[in-house]
Amino acid sequence: MPQKPLPSILPAASAAPRHVAIIMDGNGRWAEARGLPRGEGHRRGVEALRRTVGAAGELGIAILTIFSFSAENWSRPQAEIRDLMGLLRLFIRNDLADLHRNNVRVMVIGERDDLAPDIRALVEEAEELTKGNTGLTVIVAFNYGSRQEIARAARALAVEVHAGRLEPKAITADQLGARLDTAALPDPDLIIRTSGEQRLSNFLLWQGAYSELVFVPIYWPDFDRAALEAAIDEYHRRERRFGGLVAHTGS
Ligand code: FPP
């Protein structure tokens, strides 16, 4: 059975993309270019994140996924890891009430077992408090790596096969997708990466199979509503074919 997203679920050409995912890259270079410590770049990155969450809601985006800490970021110096963990704590503590008031739902994807217990508790609190919200959904990819996520899903399938609940030949792409952290979420329509780098770096490799990729030549701390709108304009100029022949222009 061919499996592909159905064009009928696509939004109208002029509508905002339903799901936008962002690789927030360039905090360190932003800081280094100004003779500032890298941590200052990350702090300014959080301000850019606040602006972007506000703009995404105003523009009618339904889901915003942000790459906040990759499974590979553990190889950074301890001090920088502490900074990034501290920023997640601060972001949840300081911004959660505001996000909740603005009807934003917060979800976190990635491997939680390696996180400090207080961070796990904050993540759970954020998800629990906002689970009934119906506005923008913000998905924070934290300690996230796409290959690790796919391996976890494969392991879950293997357990079911081992228990005799699933026939190996019955395994489909949909079933694997249903065991990813993003199960039940639509795939991203648009993936944006800032800083001029042009790669996915282990972010949403499965979910991004048909996403439009837009690479923006500015560092993340400089990202704002205008940059988001420009990326969405670029997305609308693309033709999406989902492996078929019929173009779905600007959707
Ligand atoms: C990439 O810049 C960015 C990160 C590794 C982390 C992104 C984090 C934030 C925007 C702030 C934290 C937000 C939350 C919610 C925790 P880089 O350091 O790789 O920059 P470089 O490539 O210029 O060195």
Side-chain angles (χ1 to χ4, degrees), residues 104-118:
V104 173
R105 180 171 188 189
V106 178
M107 294 167 72
V108 178
I109 59 172
E111 181 55 72
R112 289 189 195 185
D113 291 351
D114 311 332
L115 299 178
D118 74 305

Side-chain angles (χ1 to χ4, degrees), residues 39-111:
E40 188 54 29
H42 294 314
R43 273 180 283 286
R44 296 291 290 259
V46 176
E47 287 171 24
L49 175 58
R50 284 194 191 103
R51 287 197 294 274
T52 305
V53 168
E58 286 162 18
L59 293 171
I61 290 166
I63 303 169
L64 178 71
T65 300
I66 46 157
F67 203 7
S68 299
F69 189 87
S70 81
E72 288 72 29
N73 284 153
W74 295 107
S75 64
R76 294 195 176 198
Q78 279 303 312
E80 184 163 348
I81 293 173
R82 266 199 305 278
D83 252 357
L84 287 166
M85 295 293 157
L87 285 175
L88 180 68
R89 285 188 182 94
L90 271 181
F91 182 68
I92 297 184
R93 286 197 190 120
N94 294 345
D95 293 56
L96 183 58
D98 253 4
L99 293 168
H100 185 44
R101 202 171 315 117
N102 287 311
N103 198 23
V104 173
R105 180 171 188 189
V106 178
M107 294 167 72
V108 178
I109 59 172
E111 181 55 72

Side-chain angles (χ1 to χ4, degrees), residues 92 95-108 122-140:
I92 297 184
D95 293 56
L96 183 58
D98 253 4
L99 293 168
H100 185 44
R101 202 171 315 117
N102 287 311
N103 198 23
V104 173
R105 180 171 188 189
V106 178
M107 294 167 72
V108 178
L122 280 171
V123 161
E124 280 158 21
E125 181 194 333
E127 290 184 328
E128 184 58 29
L129 178 71
T130 63
K131 69 179 181 203
N133 290 346
T134 54
L136 174 70
T137 295
V138 174
I139 312 224
V140 182

Side-chain angles (χ1 to χ4, degrees), residues 1-250:
M1 274 282 280
Q3 291 171 358
K4 57 180 181 176
L6 294 175
S8 58
I9 62 168
L10 294 172
S14 59
R18 180 155 65 142
H19 183 174
V20 175
I22 307 185
I23 302 174
M24 308 182 289
D25 194 15
N27 294 346
R29 277 165 288 166
W30 182 93
E32 281 156 16
R34 288 161 180 78
L36 298 169
R38 291 175 60 83
E40 188 54 29
H42 294 314
R43 273 180 283 286
R44 296 291 290 259
V46 176
E47 287 171 24
L49 175 58
R50 284 194 191 103
R51 287 197 294 274
T52 305
V53 168
E58 286 162 18
L59 293 171
I61 290 166
I63 303 169
L64 178 71
T65 300
I66 46 157
F67 203 7
S68 299
F69 189 87
S70 81
E72 288 72 29
N73 284 153
W74 295 107
S75 64
R76 294 195 176 198
Q78 279 303 312
E80 184 163 348
I81 293 173
R82 266 199 305 278
D83 252 357
L84 287 166
M85 295 293 157
L87 285 175
L88 180 68
R89 285 188 182 94
L90 271 181
F91 182 68
I92 297 184
R93 286 197 190 120
N94 294 345
D95 293 56
L96 183 58
D98 253 4
L99 293 168
H100 185 44
R101 202 171 315 117
N102 287 311
N103 198 23
V104 173
R105 180 171 188 189
V106 178
M107 294 167 72
V108 178
I109 59 172
E111 181 55 72
R112 289 189 195 185
D113 291 351
D114 311 332
L115 299 178
D118 74 305
I119 293 194
R120 276 212 304 273
L122 280 171
V123 161
E124 280 158 21
E125 181 194 333
E127 290 184 328
E128 184 58 29
L129 178 71
T130 63
K131 69 179 181 203
N133 290 346
T134 54
L136 174 70
T137 295
V138 174
I139 312 224
V140 182
F142 200 84
N143 194 22
Y144 174 84
S146 201
R147 288 179 170 179
Q148 293 86 337
E149 179 194 30
I150 293 167
R152 276 201 305 278
R155 214 177 299 133
L157 287 171
V159 166
E160 290 177 51
V161 168
H162 189 68
R165 290 192 299 270
L166 185 63
E167 283 290 318
K169 63 175 183 296
I171 293 175
T172 62
D174 280 350
Q175 289 191 345
L176 193 142
R179 285 156 184 85
L180 296 173
D181 298 354
T182 52
L185 294 168
D187 289 339
D189 302 293
L190 166 63
I191 298 178
I192 300 169
R193 182 173 188 148
T194 58
S195 93
E197 303 292 345
Q198 302 195 357
R199 56 181 173 271
L200 285 175
S201 299
N202 205 14
F203 183 54
L204 301 179
L205 300 182
W206 179 281
Q207 300 86 340
Y210 290 100
S211 303
E212 293 298 328
L213 308 182
V214 172
F215 300 104
V216 179
I218 60 173
Y219 294 141
W220 174 251
D222 291 328
F223 198 81
D224 58 9
R225 181 183 170 131
L228 179 61
E229 284 181 314
I232 292 172
D233 285 348
E234 169 66 27
Y235 164 84
H236 283 306
R237 286 192 290 273
R238 304 276 177 88
E239 288 184 349
R240 303 185 78 194
R241 295 199 184 85
F242 297 101
L245 295 177
V246 183
H248 303 281
T249 311

